[in-house]
Amino acid sequence: MSTSTVWPSATARSRLRPLESPQLEIVDGFWAERLRLNRERTIPHGFDQLQRSAALGNLRLAAGVHGDYQALGDSAGFTFPFLDSDVYKWLEAVGWELGRAADPGLAAAADDAIAIVAAAQRPDGYLNSYVQVVGGVPHGDLAWGHEFYCIGHLIQAAVAWHRSLGDDRLLAIARRAADRIDDEFGPMGRSGVDGHPGVEMALVELTRVTGDRRYLTLAARMLELRGQGLLGHGRFGAEYWQDHEPVRDAATVAGHAVRQLYLDCGVVDVAVELDDHDLLAAVQRRWSDLVRTRTYLTGGMGSRHRDEGFGDPFELPPDRAYAETCAAIASVMLAWRLLLATGEASYADAIERAMYNGVLAGISQSGTRFFYTNPLQRRTVRASEPLGHGERASWYPCACCPPNLMRLLSSWQQYLATRDDAGVQIHQYVNADMQADISAGTVRLSVSTDYPWQGRVTVHIVQTPDHPWTLSLRVPQWCRSATLTGPKGSGPQVAGAGSVEQFRNWLAGDTVILDLDLPVRVTEPDPRIDAVRGCVAVERGPLVYCIESADVPPGAQLEDLRWDPRRQPAAVPRPDIGRAMVGINVPVVLRDSSDSRAAGSVAGAIPYFAWANRRVEGMRVWIPR
Ligand SMILES: [Zn+2]
């Protein structure tokens, strides 16, 4: 076993490999601020909420403390049985954080939680507070019980603690739990899959850290069993849990968005470990259709509230968008796996779009309030709206999103760069120090940038082997003009979307500068998206912008605004919204163009991720022409 490999999806078998954990550090700027907020505010808030919500209390009951199981449910009278997963996701986040730097308060809270989890586990390895306290047969309701799903998150937490800290307390618990599942559902056992995928990718990771291939075999078996109708029709049809078609055959995504995306993470992991090209190609097919036909401009996915599901192709209403924060997070996890497996830059583009927009909008600037759904429009006047649809909440009865944000932000540094035998690939532009061991030797780099506000990225070569190697930098798909200036006498070289590479004998002290042009872009929607036909959106760099009621011309209402195509939008500083923040002044006229009030007016657009941090009224991304 090694403690130097990193999550997520660390494997030597992929086309690109992650850097090793201590070798990447975000030092300053946009992401450093958000990671500090996550560590100092969001994660402590999470522990507080785990106690208030009874997620920890329910595990205490499973450990033998007397009391009643507490959980809310949905409108159909279904009591949520998956609160254990909130605890595990939070523990995963703490594992990554403590690996970066010690924190006695967080460590003490985690010690408490780990002790409770350990005490709750039955001697045979079974662990699920709902079944243990409320009653029922273990694995008696695979469709709705979420038992494997919860154990999947336990495993991910255990992997984080193992890789980040070499602390195997959770790994011991997770292995017993996985062994209990394998005993019952392994190759000679029952045929069963969970209604909520997620355990599959976790089992692959468990094989990666333990070397025990039983878990990989179990994951592959669960994937092959899906699509055989084992889960039945349920409330929403077999598509809801992707049991309508085998994972090898399904041409498009279907059903519940998070379930589909978690499932495909597991499919990629198994495909990479088993060198199964057909299996990998099936996910690539689904992904490219998903990005083309069912993805919001913000990277959000899922447009139907009824089943938290994908809609039909181009069914992407901005006001009724579901776009669950967890779906954006899951899309980052899946795109990362596809990037590692294939090396194709378009997957890093998708990570960028989702992170800066669909994911970051899920959390407030205070770090303690969260969106579950992420609409692209909120009407100024509304009859009603569901919980969390208009304003962020401090927690949810179904609290999947908040701790999911915590664990993604805690591990975000690991998504920035990769290596292969030939060199180092930088995918996301963040102020960071990084080290990579490649076949030529050890490379140390320092990246400095004001991205996403400015487009210049400077890479300093701090240490390099004597042999030549390739530095590869991503040129985002949205960028229409990029130049690369290498060390003395090289460049500038014009670069197109994809990746720009320099292969050379580097010297310590060499500098490479990538300049990405960041004009304001006026984006038209695909005409097949009926709900926004005739509208435009403004973007700059990786950021999608929106207009809030607070920034419309005096006397006007958000719904009165129309885009004025005769004038150009302009980037402007918005220090009132955030440090270094760049807004966009959008030229508008009023709906009734005879109204002189808005002649020559502008409305101020701010990054979508920053919306709903002031008084929450109207908001829209798409502006009518
Ligand atoms: Zn969620």
Side-chain angles (χ1 to χ4, degrees):
M1 282 203 253
S2 158
T3 57
S4 62
T5 47
V6 299
W7 185 86
S9 196
T11 175
R13 302 185 62 88
S14 57
R15 161 73 185 81
L16 303 179
R17 298 191 297 279
L19 304 191
E20 297 188 348
S21 183
Q23 301 185 344
L24 233 166
E25 187 184 2
I26 295 176
V27 291
D28 195 8
F30 182 92
W31 285 105
E33 286 173 29
R34 278 151 187 85
L35 267 50
R36 195 178 311 119
L37 188 70
N38 186 48
R39 180 186 179 92
E40 294 176 1
R41 297 291 301 279
T42 312
I43 293 175
H45 169 82
F47 188 65
D48 189 40
Q49 293 293 328
L50 289 176
Q51 297 176 89
R52 287 165 188 258
S53 70
L56 271 169
N58 289 336
L59 281 162
R60 271 197 198 92
L61 301 182
V65 174
H66 190 69
D68 291 328
Y69 187 87
Q70 289 181 48
L72 295 174
D74 66 9
S75 54
F78 171 66
T79 301
F80 296 141
F82 42 67
L83 269 59
D84 295 357
S85 63
D86 301 338
V87 176
Y88 303 147
K89 284 186 209 171
W90 178 86
L91 277 169
E92 182 185 334
V94 176
W96 298 125
E97 287 300 335
L98 296 180
R100 287 226 297 272
D103 182 316
L106 277 184
D111 286 347
D112 278 356
I114 292 171
I116 293 167
V117 173
Q121 186 169 39
R122 285 184 180 169
D124 71 348
Y126 184 81
L127 176 55
N128 180 279
S129 71
Y130 181 84
V131 169
Q132 290 173 241
V133 178
V134 177
V137 182
H139 307 136
D141 181 11
L142 290 181
W144 294 105
H146 291 73
E147 290 154 283
F148 297 172
Y149 167 82
C150 288
I151 296 305
H153 281 298
L154 170 65
I155 293 170
Q156 298 284 19
V159 168
W161 280 72
H162 171 78
R163 287 188 177 147
S164 184
L165 295 157
D167 181 327
D168 286 350
R169 283 175 293 169
L170 280 169
L171 190 62
I173 301 168
R175 285 194 80 164
R176 281 197 297 275
D179 290 347
R180 168 71 180 80
I181 296 173
D182 188 57
D183 288 346
E184 187 174 347
F185 294 90
M188 311 306 281
R190 273 176 74 186
S191 293
V193 299
D194 195 287
H196 200 312
V199 75
E200 301 84 359
M201 61 178 140
L203 287 167
V204 177
E205 289 282 73
L206 193 56
T207 287
R208 289 172 181 159
V209 299
T210 64
D212 187 337
R213 290 180 67 84
R214 272 184 312 148
Y215 308 122
L216 172 62
T217 303
L218 180 60
R221 172 173 157 78
M222 288 175 171
L223 292 178
E224 300 292 358
L225 285 171
R226 198 168 278 271
Q228 298 188 11
L230 291 173
L231 292 166
H233 192 76
R235 280 156 61 191
F236 305 113
E239 290 185 0
Y240 174 72
W241 30 49
Q242 295 79 41
D243 197 28
H244 60 300
E245 229 179 333
V247 295
R248 289 179 184 278
D249 302 335
T252 64
V253 295
H256 187 281
V258 176
R259 293 175 200 235
Q260 173 76 70
L261 295 165
Y262 280 3
L263 176 66
D264 277 344
C265 285
V267 178
V268 176
D269 286 346
V270 167
V272 167
E273 290 301 328
L274 299 181
D275 222 6
D276 189 329
H277 299 280
D278 290 345
L279 203 51
L280 179 61
V283 181
Q284 289 181 274
R285 251 192 335 267
R286 282 194 286 278
W287 173 268
S288 65
D289 181 70
L290 166 61
V291 169
R292 196 174 57 81
T293 70
R294 290 177 177 87
T295 302
Y296 283 100
L297 189 66
T298 54
M301 293 175 180
S303 56
R304 290 196 182 164
H305 286 236
R306 188 187 74 113
D307 57 351
E308 306 187 302
F310 295 109
D312 289 329
F314 306 106
E315 181 190 337
L316 295 166
D319 49 352
R320 295 295 294 163
Y322 199 72
E324 182 179 341
T325 305
C326 282
I329 291 168
S331 82
V332 170
M333 295 164 58
L334 178 54
W336 170 247
R337 284 163 166 78
L338 288 166
L339 173 65
L340 292 180
T342 67
E344 291 174 19
S346 66
Y347 297 117
D349 287 336
I351 291 172
E352 177 179 81
R353 182 168 289 276
M355 276 306 284
Y356 279 100
N357 302 288
V359 170
L360 265 194
I363 188 164
S364 65
Q365 286 177 345
S366 67
T368 54
R369 297 183 73 83
F370 312 92
F371 272 136
Y372 192 116
T373 60
N374 293 277
L376 283 74
Q377 178 182 359
R378 182 177 193 262
R379 292 172 199 290
T380 311
V381 179
R382 298 161 317 281
S384 66
E385 60 194 352
L387 173 66
H389 203 69
E391 294 198 45
R392 295 181 184 87
S394 57
W395 207 247
Y396 289 88
C398 169
C400 48
C401 303
N404 224 0
L405 280 161
M406 294 172 205
R407 69 182 186 131
L408 178 63
L409 290 169
S410 288
S411 54
W412 170 234
Q413 79 222 44
Q414 299 167 21
Y415 289 83
L416 307 182
T418 55
R419 65 198 161 110
D420 62 7
D421 288 341
V424 179
Q425 304 81 37
I426 302 179
H427 305 289
Q428 309 297 339
Y429 298 123
V430 176
N431 284 304
D433 295 331
M434 53 186 79
Q435 176 180 322
D437 296 317
I438 59 175
S439 47
T442 295
V443 172
R444 283 175 56 216
L445 305 173
S446 171
V447 180
S448 53
T449 181
D450 287 325
Y451 201 81
W453 311 120
Q454 307 298 332
R456 170 160 287 197
V457 179
T458 305
V459 181
H460 305 276
I461 311 292
V462 178
Q463 180 185 332
T464 176
D466 289 334
H467 304 284
W469 55 275
T470 301
L471 174 65
S472 171
L473 304 173
R474 180 177 62 98
V475 177
Q477 180 273 328
W478 50 258
C479 184
R480 286 155 205 166
S481 171
T483 53
L484 185 75
T485 309
K488 297 175 259 332
S490 110
Q493 165 190 353
V494 176
S499 292
V500 57
E501 295 183 344
Q502 285 229 334
F503 173 74
R504 59 162 58 228
N505 248 319
W506 300 94
L507 299 172
D510 279 350
T511 295
V512 175
I513 297 172
L514 177 66
D515 280 306
L516 303 169
D517 195 21
L518 290 188
V520 175
R521 306 193 304 282
V522 179
T523 305
E524 296 194 22
D526 189 303
R528 289 167 287 189
I529 309 173
D530 298 84
V532 293
R533 191 178 294 136
C535 293
V536 294
V538 285
E539 298 181 88
R540 183 172 181 270
L543 300 172
V544 175
Y545 281 72
C546 67
I547 300 174
E548 286 189 294
S549 293
D551 295 319
V552 305
Q557 200 175 54
L558 185 63
E559 286 73 15
D560 296 333
L561 304 183
R562 283 192 315 169
W563 174 260
D564 183 353
R566 296 163 302 182
R567 292 179 289 140
Q568 295 298 315
V572 291
R574 286 298 298 267
D576 58 314
I577 304 296
R579 199 180 69 75
M581 187 85 77
V582 175
I584 296 173
N585 279 350
V586 175
V588 292
V589 292
L590 289 191
R591 178 166 47 88
D592 175 3
S593 55
S594 66
D595 190 323
S596 60
R597 280 179 302 166
S601 289
V602 295
I606 62 169
Y608 171 74
F609 74 75
W611 91 278
N613 281 294
R614 296 175 287 177
R615 186 181 145 93
V616 180
E617 294 181 272
M619 180 278 290
R620 62 189 307 152
V621 168
W622 293 104
I623 308 153
R625 283 172 179 277

